[in-house]
């Protein structure tokens, strides 16, 4: 229950702007300014107990406490490593980032790309930090993490071996911003070891909040070079790599000095005049700061002698710095993969057309309610979360020259994959399908598409695959219209949290597809004269002399009835459920039910029995939790996914089946809660305000 309250509080904070780059969430509740002032006032250096300088922060396996790689590791502050440490010396540059004994070249390539744009760098590395003015051994960085920006505090104790930094370091050895940034990123990932292995796009996204595309270069579209130029123009970050076929090829160096399985960053794409013809060139950066391409257009190659000095100056042709040029043709032949991170509009200053419009949503797959799996699972598929995107404006200048449509990107990201490595949990295979919204639902709010829609039409688009990666993203161009996006795991019944993002070239409206939480509870009022005489006789016999039924008598009566039925499974009504029945119907507050009240309850139970049997499609005597939404709707209660998840966790059994007594108890509880809310919402505003006493009285009732 407290986790639900925390999630609701988080949602409220986001509505107020918390989680933006301007109002980053304080990671683990640590406030940089408060902690720094505390240390300065006491004349002590900060020691981070949330990410301590010990083996737990290093790793769990290869960097675990018994690994030879961590033997002899000593944590030292920069002030202990050199006489005049600098946070950033004469600006952050790509030479400040040299890889250490950790396989996180993917992260370093992303960090190197940060140095190309001072504005983007300042979002990740807050300015004003140093080892001189108000130094307290504490630093902070900001990362985008699964839909929100977080401010991460660290101390400056860094792992060393033989007096040298164990992991990332600067070429000069006296500049420490990159090493401290790596430590902060290790903190949000769980450990340094959790950073081993990955895609550059992960770092790109976490430094910008952007969305990434991956292109297989052996299948490069004809207009890819133009996409690269446009991406660089608008500040996008790009990386590339060469695939390996086995672990033995990892970081193997080819004959022309390219490194396999290694993450490079792409820093330029230009066209030059070479001997009377145009040649497309790509500039690539090796985060090692050395080992460069030796083929055509490499540093010192003969091709440069045919380029004017002006063009050389424009291309910043510098030798032996880890950065090199190569032809676009060689680029697509030698490298396997290109990754582009498209930035959000708030990251960019220019108002040039072509900026992406974007929106994002957080969601959950929960076993028994919203974890429906892919379209291969028709019985559960439609229970997945749904989102609608409305595309009205076509692109101004389609790159591929095809008939004009609306271009948009869809990215589906699952949360906390790196943190789960230590628990040996693998990422789920995820993907999504896109369906056209039927005309009768267009423009409507508070609707969901059911089996009658989703199972009777083919998807108009879908993710290129289902894959166990942090994020899957695809580019689509569709005619104007309304489309439903259905994100899912490949297999059903898999728990997970996700972020769905939609980036569109033109303005587009997106929103979750959810029913409005509501109830239809109009009931016909009857008098004792309307009740069947035989029912009165039975009630008189059951109730005794006081002609009222207590909660204990009620439970006995109901259990005696259901125990004789073979078409439903039940463990019997519990006393707690009986109390809810009485609380709902007891108008004179004597904790008993009279004839009219008992009759009303009996008719409800009879109606709910018909609904229950209708949705018990396999005649097992129980109802699948995935059918609970439609059954509740038929009973007059419209619930959304958040409410449904709570219902399933409260009323379903370990096999996510709901028996009859739980079904009836749930519906009666819903009716009571709706009536309580409507009674307190005297202004019909859709919200109520309670003090602690009223809240406790209602919650305990």
């Amino acid at each position: 229950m407290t986790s639900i309250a925390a999630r609701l509080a988080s949602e409220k904070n986001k509505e107020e702007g918390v989680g933006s780059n301007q109002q980053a969430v304080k990671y683990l509740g640590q406030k940089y300014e408060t902690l720094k002032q505390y240390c300065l006032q006491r004349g002590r250096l900060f020691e981070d107990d949330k990410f301590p300088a010990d083996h737990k922060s290093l790793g769990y396996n290869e960097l675990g406490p018994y690994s030879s790689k961590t033997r002899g590791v000593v944590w030292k502050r920069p002030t202990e490593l050199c006489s005049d440490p600098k946070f950033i010396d004469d600006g952050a540059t790509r030479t400040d980032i040299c890889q250490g004994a950790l396989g996180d070249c993917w992260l370093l390539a992303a960090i190197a790309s940060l140095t190309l744009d001072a504005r983007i760098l300042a979002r990740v590395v807050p300015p004003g930090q140093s080892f001189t003015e108000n130094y307290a051994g504490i630093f902070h960085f900001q990362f985008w993490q699964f839909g929100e920006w977080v401010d991460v505090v660290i101390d400056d104790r860094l792992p060393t071996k033989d007096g040298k930094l164990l992991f990332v370091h600067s070429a000069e050895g006296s500049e420490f911003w990159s090493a401290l940034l790596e430590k902060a990123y290790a903190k949000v990932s769980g450990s340094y070891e959790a950073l081993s292995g990955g895609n550059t796009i992960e770092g790109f996204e976490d430094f910008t909040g952007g969305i990434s595309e991956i292109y297989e270069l052996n299948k490069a579209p004809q207009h890819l070079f133009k996409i690269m130029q446009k991406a660089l123009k608008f500040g996008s970050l790009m990386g590339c790599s060469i695939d390996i076929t086995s672990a033995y090829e990892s970081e193997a160096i080819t004959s022309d000095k390219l490194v396999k399985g290694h993450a490079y960053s792409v820093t330029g794409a230009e066209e030059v005049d070479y001997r009377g013809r145009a040649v497309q060139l790509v500039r690539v950066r090796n985060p090692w700061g050395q080992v460069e391409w030796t083929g055509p257009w490499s540093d010192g190659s003969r091709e440069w002698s045919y380029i004017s000095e002006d063009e050389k100056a424009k291309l910043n042709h510098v030798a032996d710095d880890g950065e090199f040029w190569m032809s676009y043709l060689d680029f697509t032949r030698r490298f396997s993969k290109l990754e582009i991170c498209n930035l959000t509009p708030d990251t960019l200053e220019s108002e040039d057309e072509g900026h992406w419009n974007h929106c994002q949503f957080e969601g959950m797959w929960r076993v028994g309610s919203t974890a429906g799996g892919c379209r291969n699972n028709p019985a559960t598929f439609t229970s997945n979360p749904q989102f609608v995107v409305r595309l009205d404006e076509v692109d101004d200048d389609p790159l591929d020259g095809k008939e004009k449509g609306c271009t948009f990107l869809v990215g589906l990201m699952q949360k906390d994959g790196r943190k789960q490595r230590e628990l040996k949990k693998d990422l789920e295979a995820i993907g999504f399908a896109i369906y056209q919204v039927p005309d009768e639902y267009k423009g409507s709010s508070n609707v969901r598409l059911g089996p009658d829609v989703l199972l009777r039409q083919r998807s108009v688009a879908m993710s290129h695959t289902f894959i166990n990666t942090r994020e899957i993203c695809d580019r689509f161009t569709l005619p104007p219209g309304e489309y439903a996006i259905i994100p899912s795991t490949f297999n059903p019944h898999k728990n997970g949290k996700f972020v769905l993002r939609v980036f569109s070239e033109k303005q587009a409206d997106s929103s979750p597809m959810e029913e409005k939480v509501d109830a239809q509870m109009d009931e016909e009022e009857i008098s004792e004269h309307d009740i069947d005489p035989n029912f009165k006789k039975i009630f008189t016999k059951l109730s005794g002399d006081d002609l009222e039924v207590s909660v204990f008598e009620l439970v006995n009566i109901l259990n005696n009835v259901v125990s004789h039925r073979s078409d439903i499974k039940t463990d019997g009504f519990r006393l707690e459920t009986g109390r809810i029945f009485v609380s709902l119907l007891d108008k004179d507050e004597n904790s008993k039910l009279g004839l009219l009240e008992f009759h009303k309850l009996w008719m409800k139970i009879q109606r709910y029995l018909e609904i229950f049997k209708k949705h018990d499609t396999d005649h097992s005597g129980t109802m699948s939790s995935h059918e609970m939404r439609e059954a509740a709707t038929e009973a007059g209660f419209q619930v959304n996914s958040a409410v449904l998840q709570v219902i399933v966790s409260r009323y379903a059994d370990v096999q996510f089946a709901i028996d009859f007594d739980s079904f009836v108890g749930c519906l009666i509880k819903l009716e009571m809660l709706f009536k309580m809310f409507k009674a307190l919402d005297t202004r019909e505003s859709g919200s109520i305000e309670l003090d602690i006493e009223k809240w406790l009285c209602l919650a305990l009732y």
Side-chain angles (χ1 to χ4, degrees), residues 469-672:
T469 187
R470 183 175 96 144
E471 182 177 42
I472 185 166
C473 176
D474 283 291
R475 176 188 291 247
F476 304 99
T477 301
L478 294 176
E482 291 190 22
Y483 300 92
I485 304 172
I486 317 293
S488 72
T489 55
F490 182 75
N491 293 313
H493 318 307
K494 299 290 184 180
N495 285 324
K497 295 181 180 180
F498 66 84
V499 176
L500 181 79
R501 296 185 291 165
V502 179
F503 278 49
S504 56
E505 283 202 7
K506 291 289 188 177
Q507 187 64 41
D509 294 326
S510 300
S511 61
M513 299 185 75
E514 280 289 5
E515 298 97 334
K516 179 182 178 182
V517 176
D518 201 1
Q520 301 296 325
M521 297 178 293
D522 297 332
E523 297 176 340
E524 182 182 355
E525 291 296 329
I526 62 171
S527 65
E528 288 192 24
H529 300 292
D530 299 316
I531 298 176
D532 183 87
N534 289 326
F535 188 92
K536 288 182 183 179
K537 288 181 181 179
I538 295 172
F539 177 78
T540 302
K541 182 178 179 181
L542 293 172
S543 61
D545 295 338
D546 63 353
L547 296 179
E548 288 193 309
V549 175
S550 70
V551 64
F552 305 99
E553 293 171 321
L554 174 63
V555 170
N556 286 333
I557 293 169
L558 295 177
N559 286 341
N560 184 52
V561 172
V562 297
S563 65
H564 291 90
R565 298 194 67 106
S566 60
D567 55 345
I568 57 174
K569 285 186 179 179
T570 176
D571 294 327
F573 289 93
R574 293 175 289 277
L575 190 62
E576 178 190 356
T577 306
R579 293 187 194 280
I580 295 173
F581 293 164
V582 173
S583 296
L584 173 66
L585 297 165
D586 176 26
K587 291 186 177 180
D588 52 11
E589 298 188 44
N590 68 348
S591 299
K592 293 183 178 182
L593 300 183
L595 173 61
L596 281 173
E597 296 162 338
F598 183 82
H599 181 268
K600 184 177 291 188
L601 174 62
W602 185 257
M603 298 308 293
K604 285 181 184 294
I605 292 175
Q606 292 299 308
R607 178 167 171 258
Y608 293 162
L609 175 61
E610 293 177 8
I611 296 172
F612 182 85
K613 291 179 67 177
K614 176 181 176 181
H615 290 274
D616 175 19
T617 53
D618 60 357
H619 306 292
S620 63
T622 62
M623 186 175 66
S624 165
S625 62
H626 281 278
E627 297 169 325
M628 186 64 192
R629 189 195 299 260
E630 290 187 25
T633 300
E634 190 170 339
F637 304 102
Q638 198 165 280
V639 298
N640 62 13
S641 295
V643 176
L644 181 64
Q645 288 168 11
V646 176
I647 288 174
V648 171
S649 66
R650 174 68 179 81
Y651 291 98
D653 64 17
V654 68
Q655 282 82 35
F656 296 96
I658 297 176
D659 59 17
F660 180 64
D661 57 286
S662 295
F663 178 70
V664 174
C666 173
L667 296 184
I668 295 292
K669 182 71 175 285
L670 278 174
E671 182 174 349
M672 183 178 74

Side-chain angles (χ1 to χ4, degrees), residues 33 69 87 171 185 212 224 227 336 418 512 521 609 613 669:
E33 291 295 344
K69 295 182 179 180
F87 184 67
Y185 200 77
S212 295
L224 181 58
I227 289 178
S336 310
R418 291 191 177 274
M521 297 178 293
L609 175 61
K613 291 179 67 177
K669 182 71 175 285

Side-chain angles (χ1 to χ4, degrees), residues 94 109-110 112-113 204 238-240 263-267 283-287:
R94 297 185 292 281
S113 292
F204 285 171
M238 288 194 286
C240 58
Y264 290 81
S265 49
V266 176
T267 61
R283 187 172 64 199
V284 182
R285 163 76 185 168
N286 184 345

Side-chain angles (χ1 to χ4, degrees), residues 130-146:
S130 75
F131 291 99
T132 53
E133 186 177 354
N134 292 326
Y135 170 67
I138 183 172
F139 294 85
H140 69 133
F141 300 86
Q142 293 194 355
F143 306 123
W144 185 87
Q145 289 284 285
F146 310 111

Side-chain angles (χ1 to χ4, degrees), residues 213-231:
E213 303 173 81
I214 299 179
Y215 290 94
E216 300 294 337
L217 293 177
N218 62 347
K219 305 173 185 175
Q222 292 181 350
H223 55 278
L224 181 58
F225 185 77
K226 290 184 178 180
I227 289 178
M228 295 170 67
Q229 286 185 310
K230 188 175 182 180

Side-chain angles (χ1 to χ4, degrees), residues 386-390 434-444 447-449 453-454 457 460 481-485 513:
Q386 302 179 11
F387 302 86
V388 64
V389 57
R390 299 176 179 90
I434 302 176
Y435 289 81
Q436 190 160 18
V437 175
D439 291 342
E440 60 267 30
Y441 293 108
K442 285 182 179 178
S444 301
V447 298
R448 273 181 64 88
L449 303 183
V453 175
L454 296 180
Q457 64 168 293
V460 295
E482 291 190 22
Y483 300 92
I485 304 172
M513 299 185 75

